[in-house]
């Protein structure tokens, strides 16, 4: 099985998903939830009467609250997003709604000041950056016995960045077509995928490390290809286990927010396995062959 | 294949018994053999569910001071204790109040429904001041301007607009104890207080120098009572009198006892998770976990045969141990935490799969069962080691950062992931290894192709 020979197809496939997604993301802005940009989410369920979304927006306007968006959920409740509500404002709104439409139950009330989200985002990115750096150093150290040990760490991180890019791209599509938002659970999904991606890549790299000592006469490309094929069964089974496990969770959870979380996780974990085989190892070969020297030459001669 | 296999099996059995003991009880007690009424050891190991699984109220409080102002760890800790005391006085059980980062406090109130009552009681500043009135006697209930500034020991400058600002002699933080008492002669209800030694000195010096003057007792700038100083009070004890009923006196005493917050706090985040949402996600996550586990168990058993069954048992033990460790440490389970568990369960399975694929490979290469068995573990080890160390590095950094900015979501994820990874290593390297060796010992398979599924 010659996987590496088709490496440019795999790169192209990934770019085909990532590039339009990221363009979409940057052109329409990050679909941040209130967790990150601040604001209020109020989910209410009315006992008897049900107002229309525009009724609710009118009630908010009356209380002088801006940026109101109303979504009715499948369970018959309303998810109302607005600017940051103080507790007094919340009471005003709830009283107004109760007076007009009868008794209601507050299912969820999230109110987040704008400064918090910014800090969480920047600190979390810093945390990911620091742990990536440490992982590069660790892999370089752990692979010190073989040539160009540093490359392995960097390729593992490139594969991880690939997975993160895939997640953001998919989220951009989800935001465009399904109304997804980047919330705190998104952050969890992202962290899970990053963890999984690194583990998966290291397993493939470990096999390359081992084979380097066994097949000394094999050229690097064949060696890597051989290593991928050897670990393929394990990759498929592990993927089946983790994703199957999570896929079921996804189906069972069902809730609106969790569905989004589980979908992102599912795609991210798939991408994690894909990237360790079709991105990380091929980049290693690309680097070994210094293929970028030929990229433009080939074009010129063709 | 393994030396001292019996010992290993005994260790595993012991670990399992302890784990199940913790899993199946909400309280671990070891009675004192010499005294029936006391326990040698006692620990509450009730599982703790996060608000996203249980419903309730979460509040994030922040020091309401300019960015530049220094907030000490001590004062945050004091503020935390005060918030905890105040909200415990409400009778809501199992509250969790934690300092998050340098200037924030997270309060979680599982099952709480009346958010306002809790917010009200947290935000009460309860600032008690003893104010120097000179010869002027204010009316009870009137509002005073005082020169007390939080965090400052210097009196503030007089304003230029001509309004009077009174000097605060002492604040409630110098109180060491407070209780409600009744004057045996008049039957009047008052609040008796005892001052700290430092407070007693200040109070003693002030009252000796100002006999005949008025000292107002002011709570949150409102005059409660304005007694005249008849004698120097050097004993460090005194009584606040006012028009109290038993209930109002008790309420005030609670406020005074739990003191004024050393730093003003403002609410920056409130989350109310309705009980239906919480219950729903808990039910569904439990169901999903169970169904997922059953499928994994079936797959491992059919695909890897005997080793697969050993891995199944070891994964179940892993789950039992993990749950016990969570209960023991008191990890609060949240949805991100469950994601962490899933990831670490995935890596536990992955380790088993790596080993079994290796086992098959070695057998195909013509090794004997015994050789292949030994090779499988030693050859799979570097890859299991490195990938798990990478996961632990990530979890460690995330935990560190999670603690500093109070993003409980990141912290919960990294903690469960790290614990899960450590226990998964034990499960795949120690338990599966021993169980499979035992199984081979018992069955002594001749045509191992069928037993292993090659």
């Amino acid at each position: 099985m010659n996987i590496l020979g088709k490496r440019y197809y795999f790169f192209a496939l990934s770019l085909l998903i990532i590039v339009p997604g990221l363009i979409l993301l940057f052109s329409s802005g990050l679909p941040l939830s209130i967790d990150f940009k601040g604001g209020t989410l109020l989910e209410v369920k009315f006992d008897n009467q049900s107002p229309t979304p525009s009724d609710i927006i009118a009630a908010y306007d009356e209380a002088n609250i801006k940026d109101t968006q109303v979504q009715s959920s499948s369970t018959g409740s309303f998810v109302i997003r607005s600017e940051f509500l103080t507790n007094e404002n919340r009471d005003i709104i709830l009283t107004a709604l109760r007076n007009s439409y009868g008794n209601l139950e507050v299912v969820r009330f999230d109110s987040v000041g704008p400064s918090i989200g910014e800090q969480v985002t920047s600190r979390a990115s810093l945390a990911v950056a620091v742990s990536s750096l440490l992982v590069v150093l660790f892999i370089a150290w752990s692979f010190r016995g073989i040539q160009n040990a540093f490359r392995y760490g960097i390729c593992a991180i490139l594969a991880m960045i690939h997975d993160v890019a895939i997640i953001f791209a998919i989220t951009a599509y989800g935001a465009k077509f399904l109304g997804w938002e980047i919330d705190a659970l998104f952050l969890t999904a992202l962290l899970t995928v990053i963890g999984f991606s690194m583990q998966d890549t290291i397993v493939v790299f470990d096999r390359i490390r081992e084979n380097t000592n066994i097949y000394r006469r094999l050229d690097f490309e064949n060696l890597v290809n051989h290593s991928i094929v050897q670990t393929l069964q394990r990759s498929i089974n592990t993927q089946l286990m983790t994703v199957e496990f999570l896929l079921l969770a996804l189906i069972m959870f069902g809730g609106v927010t969790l569905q989004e979380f589980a979908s992102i996780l599912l795609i991210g974990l798939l991408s994690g396995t894909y990237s360790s085989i079709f991105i990380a190892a091929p980049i290693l070969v690309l680097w070994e062959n210094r293929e970028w020297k030929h990229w433009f030459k080939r074009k010129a001669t063709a | 294949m393994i030396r001292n296999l019996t010992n290993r099996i005994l260790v595993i059995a012991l670990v399992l018994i302890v784990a199940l003991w913790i899993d199946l009880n909400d309280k671990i007690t070891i009675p004192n053999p010499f005294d029936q009424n006391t326990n040698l050891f006692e620990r509450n190991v009730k599982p703790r569910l996060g608000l996203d699984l249980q419903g309730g109220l979460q509040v994030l409080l922040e020091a309401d001071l300019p960015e530049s102002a220094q907030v000490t760890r001590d004062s945050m800790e004091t503020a935390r204790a005060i918030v905890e005391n105040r909200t415990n006085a409400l009778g809501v059980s199992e509250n969790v109040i934690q300092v998050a980062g340098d200037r924030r406090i997270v309060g979680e109130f599982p099952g709480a429904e009346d958010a306002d009552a809790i917010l009200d009681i947290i935000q009460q500043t309860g600032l008690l001041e003893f104010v120097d009135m000179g010869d002027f006697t204010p009316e009870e209930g009137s509002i005073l301007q005082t020169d007390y500034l939080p965090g400052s020991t210097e009196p503030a400058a007089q304003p230029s607009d001509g309004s009077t600002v009174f000097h605060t002699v002492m604040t409630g933080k110098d109180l060491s104890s407070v209780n409600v008492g009744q004057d045996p002669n008049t039957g009047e209800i008052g609040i008796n207080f005892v001052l700290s030694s430092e407070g007693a000195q200040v109070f003693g010096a002030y009252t000796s120098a100002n006999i005949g003057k008025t000292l107002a007792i002011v709570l949150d700038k409102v005059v409660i009572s304005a007694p005249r100083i008849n004698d120097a009070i050097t004993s460090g004890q005194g009584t606040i009198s006012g028009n109290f009923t038993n209930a109002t006196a008790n309420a005030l005493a609670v406020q005074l006892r739990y003191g004024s917050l050393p730093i003003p706090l403002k609410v920056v985040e409130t989350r109310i998770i309705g009980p239906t949402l919480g219950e729903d996600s808990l039910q569904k996550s439990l169901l999903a976990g169970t169904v997922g586990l059953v499928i994994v168990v079936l797959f491992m058993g059919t695909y890897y045969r005997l080793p697969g069954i050993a891995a199944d048992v070891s994964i179940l033990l892993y789950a039992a141990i993990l749950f016990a460790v969570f209960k023991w440490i008191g990890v609060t389970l949240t949805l991100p935490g469950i994601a962490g568990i899933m990831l670490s369960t995935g890596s536990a399975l992955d380790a088993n799969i790596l080993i079994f694929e290796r086992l098959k490979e070695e057998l195909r290469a013509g090794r004997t069962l015994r050789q292949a068995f030994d090779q499988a573990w030693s050859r799979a080890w570097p890859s299991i080691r490195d990938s798990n160390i990478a996961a632990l590095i990530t979890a460690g950094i995330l935990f560190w950062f999670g603690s500093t900015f109070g993003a409980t979501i990141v912290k919960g994820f990294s903690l469960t992931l790290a614990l899960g990874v450590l226990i998964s290593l034990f499960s795949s390297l120690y338990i599966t290894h021993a169980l499979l060796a035992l199984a081979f010992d018992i069955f002594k398979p001749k045509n191992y192709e069928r037993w292993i599924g090659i």
Side-chain angles (χ1 to χ4, degrees):
Chain A
M1 217 185 321
N2 184 6
I3 288 170
L4 278 178
K6 304 183 189 71
R7 56 182 170 273
Y8 284 96
Y9 294 106
F10 298 126
F11 295 158
L13 178 65
S14 288
L15 289 177
L16 211 62
I17 299 170
I18 293 170
V19 173
L22 291 189
I23 290 172
L24 193 65
L25 203 62
F26 284 114
S27 60
S28 55
L30 283 175
L32 293 178
S33 78
I34 62 154
D35 285 346
F36 291 114
K37 65 178 180 196
T40 295
L41 185 151
L42 175 64
E43 186 173 349
V44 290
K45 200 168 186 174
F46 292 90
D47 282 355
N48 307 309
Q49 267 181 296
S50 241
T52 66
S54 57
D55 290 338
I56 294 176
I57 293 178
Y60 269 70
D61 279 344
E62 210 158 290
N64 215 1
I65 297 159
K66 290 190 275 290
D67 303 330
T68 316
Q69 285 175 301
V70 180
Q71 240 182 327
S72 50
S73 81
S74 53
T75 51
S77 63
F78 290 93
V79 178
I80 312 161
R81 291 183 175 85
S82 68
E83 65 170 339
F84 183 73
L85 281 187
T86 59
N87 288 297
E88 291 82 52
N89 274 339
R90 178 176 66 100
D91 292 340
I92 292 172
I93 276 294
L94 287 178
T95 316
L97 291 177
R98 276 199 184 100
N99 286 342
S100 313
Y101 308 104
N103 203 22
L104 58 83
E105 181 199 346
V106 176
V107 182
R108 196 149 60 112
F109 176 76
D110 291 356
S111 201
V112 185
S115 64
I116 307 290
E118 269 168 39
Q119 284 182 13
V120 172
T121 323
S122 62
R123 285 304 198 97
S125 346
L126 187 62
V128 170
V130 171
S131 51
S132 302
L133 186 70
L134 287 179
V135 170
V136 172
L137 293 175
F138 169 70
I139 297 176
W141 176 80
S142 182
F143 281 57
R144 65 195 176 284
I146 59 175
Q147 267 195 324
N148 300 321
F150 227 87
R151 289 184 189 172
Y152 290 82
I154 292 174
C155 287
I157 295 304
L158 287 176
M160 183 205 89
I161 293 171
H162 164 273
D163 300 331
V164 170
I166 290 273
I167 288 186
F168 273 99
I170 296 294
T171 308
Y173 302 131
K176 178 88 181 162
F177 301 110
L178 301 167
W180 285 4
E181 282 188 332
I182 294 179
D183 58 7
L185 277 180
F186 172 87
L187 197 64
T188 309
L190 198 64
L191 296 175
T192 312
V193 169
I194 288 171
F196 182 80
S197 169
M198 297 226 197
Q199 282 198 321
D200 219 28
T201 308
I202 290 175
V203 169
V204 177
F205 281 2
D206 170 71
R207 200 56 180 242
I208 300 174
R209 167 173 64 185
E210 191 188 331
N211 285 343
T212 320
N213 299 322
I214 301 171
Y215 307 101
R216 287 179 187 280
R217 299 170 69 188
L218 217 57
D219 68 281
F220 193 66
E221 186 165 341
N222 278 322
L223 180 92
V224 173
N225 196 59
H226 194 59
S227 308
I228 292 175
V229 173
Q230 278 183 332
T231 49
L232 208 55
Q233 189 59 52
R234 167 262 157 198
S235 295
I236 293 168
N237 282 359
T238 300
Q239 178 65 27
L240 216 63
M241 291 298 184
T242 28
V243 174
E244 195 168 15
F245 205 86
L246 291 162
L247 187 65
L248 267 155
L250 158 85
I251 298 160
M252 297 296 159
F253 274 135
V256 183
T257 39
L258 291 173
Q259 231 155 31
E260 190 184 315
F261 169 68
S263 316
I264 291 171
L265 208 49
L266 180 71
I267 291 159
L269 294 187
L270 271 169
S271 168
T273 303
Y274 177 87
S275 70
S276 55
I277 300 171
F278 301 110
I279 303 288
I283 292 180
L284 212 51
V285 173
L286 187 153
W287 199 338
E288 176 76 19
N289 298 347
R290 301 179 177 275
E291 281 171 28
W292 53 86
K293 285 184 175 167
H294 308 291
W295 284 350
F296 302 104
K297 271 184 201 162
R298 198 183 291 165
K299 250 182 204 164
T301 52
Chain B
M1 284 185 256
I2 297 181
R3 269 180 289 164
N4 300 326
L5 183 59
T6 330
N7 287 351
R8 270 214 201 192
I9 297 292
L10 282 177
V11 169
I12 293 168
L14 193 70
V15 170
L16 179 66
I17 289 167
V18 173
L20 285 178
W21 185 31
I22 299 172
D23 283 338
L24 300 175
N25 292 294
D26 278 350
K27 204 169 208 177
I28 295 294
T29 46
I30 300 174
N32 190 337
F34 304 107
D35 183 354
Q36 292 291 309
N37 299 318
T38 57
N39 285 319
L40 215 53
F41 182 83
E42 199 172 0
R43 191 176 181 122
N44 187 5
V45 291
K46 216 167 170 259
R48 287 218 294 230
L49 297 179
L51 288 182
D52 51 355
L53 296 178
Q54 195 182 0
L57 171 72
Q58 186 189 50
V59 187
L60 186 62
L61 304 164
E62 192 178 64
D64 195 6
L65 292 170
E67 283 289 325
S68 53
Q70 194 75 31
V71 184
T72 64
R73 246 201 134 63
D74 269 1
S75 54
M76 283 306 286
E77 189 43 50
T78 313
R80 189 205 68 79
I82 291 167
V83 170
E84 183 159 39
N85 283 328
R86 281 188 191 169
T87 48
N88 281 344
L90 268 174
V92 185
S93 58
E94 291 177 54
N95 300 337
V96 182
I97 321 282
Q98 289 170 307
V99 176
D102 298 333
R103 43 199 299 139
R104 295 206 183 104
I105 293 172
V106 183
E108 299 198 329
F109 308 95
E113 281 175 13
D114 192 355
D116 295 328
I118 290 175
L119 288 175
D120 279 351
I121 208 157
I122 290 175
Q123 281 183 301
Q124 277 166 359
T125 49
L127 175 63
L128 180 77
E129 294 168 272
F130 294 90
V131 181
D132 175 6
M133 303 300 297
D135 292 322
F136 174 65
T137 305
E139 292 212 0
E140 273 175 36
S142 59
I143 295 168
L144 289 187
Q145 252 190 304
T146 64
D147 60 5
Y148 176 74
L149 293 176
S152 150
T153 48
E154 294 296 307
Q158 290 287 332
S160 50
D161 63 2
S163 60
T164 325
V165 173
F166 295 97
H167 173 55
T168 300
V169 178
M170 204 175 75
T171 66
K173 73 170 195 295
D174 290 317
L175 294 177
S176 67
S177 82
V178 176
N179 58 65
V180 176
Q182 205 168 11
D183 190 309
N185 301 321
T186 60
E188 202 183 346
I189 292 166
I191 296 163
N192 304 320
F193 61 86
V194 178
L195 296 168
S196 65
S197 59
E198 202 182 316
Q201 262 177 24
V202 174
F203 206 65
Y206 175 79
T207 48
S208 334
N210 290 283
I211 291 176
K213 301 277 168 67
T214 303
L215 179 74
I217 296 168
V218 178
L219 183 71
D220 293 339
K221 312 294 177 196
V222 177
V223 178
I224 297 170
S225 69
R228 219 169 71 98
I229 302 166
N230 293 323
D231 301 296
I233 303 173
T234 50
S235 62
Q237 293 180 9
T239 302
I240 304 171
S241 51
N243 276 325
F244 294 125
T245 64
N246 227 332
T248 55
N250 269 314
L252 183 61
V254 165
Q255 240 173 349
L256 296 180
R257 193 179 301 143
Y258 298 136
S260 56
L261 291 168
I263 355 164
L265 295 172
K266 65 175 179 199
V267 176
V268 283
E269 195 179 305
T270 326
R271 287 168 192 271
I272 301 170
I273 297 127
T276 45
L277 193 72
E279 216 170 89
D280 198 42
S281 40
L282 179 64
Q283 292 295 331
K284 283 176 174 166
S285 61
L286 280 178
L287 186 63
T290 317
V291 174
L293 203 61
V294 167
I295 293 190
V296 166
V297 163
L298 290 177
F299 179 87
M300 288 296 279
T302 34
Y303 193 89
Y304 291 109
R305 312 281 170 89
L306 195 58
I309 292 165
D312 284 343
V313 177
S314 135
I315 283 292
L316 294 178
L317 294 187
Y318 156 85
I321 296 169
L322 189 67
F323 189 51
V325 170
F326 283 173
K327 284 179 75 177
W328 185 258
I329 303 182
V331 176
T332 308
L333 262 193
T334 56
L335 282 176
I338 291 177
I341 295 173
M342 282 180 172
L343 186 57
S344 64
T345 311
S347 78
L349 284 162
D350 184 41
N352 281 312
I353 291 173
L354 273 167
I355 294 164
F356 299 158
E357 286 297 334
R358 206 60 196 233
L359 182 66
K360 288 188 183 182
E361 238 175 276
E362 300 296 333
L363 286 171
R364 284 195 204 102
R367 305 243 191 314
T368 65
L369 184 60
R370 174 174 287 266
Q371 285 171 329
F373 184 87
D374 291 338
Q375 288 282 312
W377 264 270
S378 61
R379 286 283 178 88
W381 166 240
S383 120
I384 295 172
R385 176 196 64 201
D386 287 355
S387 61
N388 281 298
I389 289 178
L392 284 176
I393 290 175
T394 313
I397 297 290
L398 289 177
F399 185 79
W400 171 258
F401 278 88
S403 324
T404 57
F405 64 74
T408 41
I409 198 165
V410 179
K411 209 174 159 179
F413 170 75
S414 54
L415 184 63
T416 51
L417 176 62
L419 289 174
V421 163
L422 289 174
I423 297 168
S424 83
L425 282 176
F426 176 71
S427 133
S428 54
L429 297 173
Y430 195 87
I431 302 180
T432 312
H433 198 183
L435 288 179
L436 195 56
L438 184 72
F440 283 149
D441 255 13
I442 294 171
F443 295 111
K444 297 190 173 47
K446 289 226 164 49
N447 48 347
Y448 52 74
E449 286 83 0
R450 278 178 58 201
W451 288 79
I452 292 174
I454 296 181

